[in-house]
Amino acid sequence: MSVVTPKQTIQGILADLPTLLAVAVVETETGMPLASHTNISDFDIETAAAYNTEVIKAKLKAVQALKLNQTVQDILLTLTDQLHLLKLSADGGKFIYLAVNSKDTNLAQARQIMKAHSASLN
């Protein structure tokens, strides 16, 4: 499978899930979005990316501290009427952040789309 750019990853997810609220490919080390898209004008994707980076870093530290010998695949945050998914790339250097309305999007569908698009992201 060829490596695709963060922008191509965003375009692919958007094509598969046009009702999404927001999506970003984020660099895990810095928390900076490499590419992003939002369907909500006041959604601050940079702030969301930075805070979600902290969530990932905290979970990675916890896994290491517990000596679980596991890799973090994805993290699901369930809000009142939204689902926020964080999917790490195979090397952990990037992650996809996806926010969807839980009334519009099936969780299994969102996870499959994230899995498909993260496979080529390195």
Side-chain angles (χ1 to χ4, degrees), residues 3-20 22-26 34-39 96-98 113-114 116-118 120-121:
V3 176
V4 298
T5 66
K7 186 171 182 156
Q8 289 169 319
T9 300
I10 296 297
Q11 290 168 338
I13 293 170
L14 192 54
D16 288 346
L17 202 56
T19 60
L20 62 80
V23 62
V25 174
V26 183
L34 301 170
S36 63
H37 175 85
T38 179
N39 284 330
I96 300 173
Y97 163 60
L98 174 67
I113 290 167
M114 293 278 277
H117 289 282
S118 69
S120 58
L121 186 68

Side-chain angles (χ1 to χ4, degrees), residues 22 26 31 43-53 84 86 95 97:
V26 183
F43 197 102
D44 186 348
I45 201 85
E46 284 78 16
T47 300
Y51 279 107
N52 284 307
T53 300
H84 290 214
L86 311 173
F95 69 92
Y97 163 60

Side-chain angles (χ1 to χ4, degrees), residues 97-108:
Y97 163 60
L98 174 67
V100 296
N101 187 318
S102 54
K103 292 175 187 69
D104 297 339
T105 308
N106 174 302
L107 174 59

Side-chain angles (χ1 to χ4, degrees), residues 56-71:
I56 286 178
K57 287 180 177 180
K59 191 61 194 175
L60 291 171
K61 283 180 189 172
V63 167
Q64 191 173 29
L66 294 168
K67 297 177 174 52
L68 295 178
N69 195 26
Q70 298 285 313
T71 344

